[in-house]
Amino acid sequence: MKRVFSLLAVFLALTGIGHAATVTNKGADTVVLVVVENGSRIDVALDAGMSESLCASGCFVTLPNGDRIALDGGETVEIIDGSAVIK
């Protein structure tokens, strides 16, 4: 399912539909993000150092520490010790 979501994000980026946010896990451990986009929920696991494109049409992301953030697409987000730094 994660691969399908990744392929969808790549397709949207290449076709110019939306602009996805880039999320990178800067921590040492795998993190799991809960992403809700257009009413659909998906769990996204990011291994240490891994990046993923998310939220081409905006979404809400629940972080490992329980915080919930809204993304419009186009942001650069770093996950450090379960918390987000949005750039």
Side-chain angles (χ1 to χ4, degrees):
M1 185 66 152
K2 182 177 153 191
R3 178 147 172 81
V4 171
F5 189 72
S6 296
L7 292 173
L8 177 61
V10 169
F11 172 77
L12 293 174
L14 292 175
T15 59
I17 301 171
H19 187 68
T22 301
V23 180
T24 303
N25 180 6
K26 295 285 190 170
D29 298 317
T30 299
V31 296
V32 177
L33 309 174
V34 178
V35 179
V36 178
E37 186 172 10
N38 295 324
S40 296
R41 179 184 183 268
I42 186 169
D43 292 343
V44 178
L46 291 174
D47 293 329
M50 186 176 169
S51 294
E52 189 74 51
S53 295
L54 307 170
C55 308
S57 61
C59 70
F60 290 99
V61 178
T62 303
L63 303 168
N65 68 359
D67 288 349
R68 188 174 179 200
I69 58 174
L71 299 176
D72 294 325
E75 297 92 348
T76 299
V77 180
E78 294 178 350
I79 307 297
I80 303 168
D81 297 325
S83 298
V85 176
I86 302 173
K87 299 181 177 189

